Amino acid sequence: AKQTGRARWVMFDQTMQLAAVRRLQLEADLRDALARQEFFLHFQPIVAPRDGRVRGFEALLRWRHPVHGLVPPAEFIPVMEETGMIDAVGAWVLDAACRQLRDWQRTYDPQLTMSVNVSAVQFTGEDLVGTVTRVLADTGIPPASLKLELTESAVMADAEHALAVFAALKALGVLVSLDDFGTGYSSLSYLRRLPIDTLKIDRSFVSKLDCFDDKRQIVEVVLMLARALGLDVVAEGVETEAELDLLRDMGSDLVQGYYYYRPLAPEDAARALAEQGQG
Ligand code: C2E
Ligand code: CA
Ligand code: CA
Ligand code: CA
């Protein structure tokens, strides 16, 4: 059936309106989420493939909407970044993750680390170093057990700013990871100059690593680069034994992915720590 231009415009307009209304509703709901305690954290173990032991965790933010249930971070984090809410929520994440780490260090293993994602917006803002300072003082965890994850693209978008912020973070004694490594455009000279501790190889290179020669070669080059620069490597998104075997053989120190563990509720993460304590 033929549609007039006008009819199509009306439909388009309604769809746009609906999207705009949804977005406003999402924003309004997010504004209340912190006070209503709808945010919580999951923890995904980071494992040494050599012995299969958990060395640390990445804290991953979760939002349980009272009506819609779990909302994926990819949906609500961009909204929080655009509205500036990410600063308050990011500070909450940092504090909650460090408190949880303190518990687990006391109960299970003082060497455990906690990785916390820092958004590009938090990184460009002025609060980050102050927030980290306060959380370290409040929780009393050893600074070197906290790793801040910044995406390669956020860091390289303003590498001069990164030099200053990373220097301040280093002075506090915390560690810095470049997240989603390989998906941004790193300047080799900044990679050398920035005080980075860890490269996290993005899942897109790890996934089906055993099926593509070029992926294997890229991972090998990243491992060589990390070795040359004295950095640790975490391979993200390891899902299969074949991927794991290759990464272990190539000398990846640490891996993270569904093969070992999905992101876990705190009680399940504690159980994983308890079980390996006995083994
Ligand atoms: P990311 O930092 O790259 O985190 C890793 C994502 O990969 C997580 O998704 C994790 O659940 C998922 N993942 C881990 N292993 C596997 C695997 O083997 N296979 C597959 N397919 N996926 C795997 P999640 O939790 O949905 O988080 C998505 C993104 O949201 C994160 O990507 C990060 O950019 C952002 N995010 C999550 N929590 C926070 C937070 O507290 N603050 C900020 N600023 N961003 C966060
Ligand atoms: Ca991350
Ligand atoms: Ca990542
Ligand atoms: Ca990612």
Side-chain angles (χ1 to χ4, degrees):
K2 249 192 196 168
Q3 250 186 337
T4 69
R6 196 180 139 68
R8 243 181 285 133
W9 166 249
V10 170
M11 266 180 44
F12 178 63
D13 197 38
Q14 280 172 347
T15 314
M16 296 265 292
Q17 259 181 27
L18 205 61
V21 168
R22 280 217 184 103
R23 158 73 198 230
L24 282 174
Q25 190 59 54
L26 185 69
E27 260 186 59
D29 292 347
L30 270 171
R31 250 175 246 291
D32 298 328
L34 198 55
R36 290 186 184 163
Q37 303 186 309
E38 291 166 5
F39 290 118
F40 58 102
L41 296 178
H42 272 175
F43 299 93
Q44 188 173 34
I46 297 174
V47 178
R50 221 161 298 283
D51 54 12
R53 288 181 70 87
V54 176
R55 295 298 155 91
F57 295 89
E58 177 175 1
L60 293 160
L61 182 59
R62 299 290 179 257
W63 178 30
R64 185 170 289 116
H65 187 283
V67 177
H68 307 301
L70 269 186
V71 185
E75 251 168 65
F76 70 84
I77 287 176
V79 178
M80 294 200 302
E81 289 179 328
E82 285 162 37
T83 54
M85 285 181 253
I86 192 73
D87 281 317
V89 177
W92 178 85
V93 169
L94 202 56
D95 185 71
C98 290
R99 269 172 217 288
Q100 183 62 82
L101 179 66
R102 184 184 52 189
D103 271 16
W104 288 338
Q105 283 184 335
R106 283 180 183 163
T107 315
Y108 301 106
D109 177 359
Q111 308 275 60
L112 289 170
T113 63
M114 184 63 73
S115 297
V116 176
N117 291 288
V118 173
S119 117
V121 174
Q122 288 170 278
F123 172 63
T124 20
E126 279 135 46
D127 290 1
L128 182 62
V129 175
T131 304
V132 173
T133 307
R134 183 170 47 72
V135 168
L136 288 175
D138 288 354
T139 61
I141 60 161
S145 54
L146 175 61
K147 289 191 176 190
L148 299 179
E149 297 198 354
L150 286 138
T151 65
E152 179 190 29
S153 45
V155 169
M156 293 301 162
D158 193 351
E160 285 298 323
H161 176 67
L163 279 172
V165 176
F166 286 15
L169 292 172
K170 282 283 109 174
L172 296 176
V174 302
L175 307 182
V176 175
S177 301
L178 273 198
D179 204 354
D180 302 350
F181 188 78
T183 63
Y185 298 90
S186 268
S187 140
L188 289 177
S189 92
Y190 276 118
L191 262 191
R192 208 184 128 252
R193 286 166 65 200
L194 286 164
I196 298 161
D197 301 284
T198 305
L199 300 181
K200 295 194 78 171
I201 306 181
D202 190 69
R203 173 157 62 89
S204 55
F205 302 105
V206 171
S207 164
K208 302 203 166 65
L209 183 65
D210 50 313
C211 306
F212 297 95
D213 255 2
D214 56 344
K215 288 196 185 188
R216 190 154 56 216
Q217 279 157 6
I218 288 168
V219 170
E220 236 152 38
V221 168
V222 173
L223 287 167
M224 279 170 60
L225 181 68
R227 229 167 276 138
L229 295 169
L231 309 176
D232 290 337
V233 168
V234 178
E236 294 192 284
V238 179
E239 293 184 354
T240 68
E241 189 162 9
E243 292 161 4
L244 178 72
D245 286 345
L246 273 172
L247 287 161
R248 195 203 281 113
D249 293 348
M250 289 193 273
S252 180
D253 320 307
L254 296 167
V255 302
Q256 179 182 351
Y258 296 170
Y259 176 76
Y260 279 116
Y261 299 97
R262 289 181 176 258
L264 303 173
E267 51 280 16
D268 296 324
R271 192 171 312 125
L273 290 170
E275 275 163 11
Q276 76 174 7
Q278 295 152 5

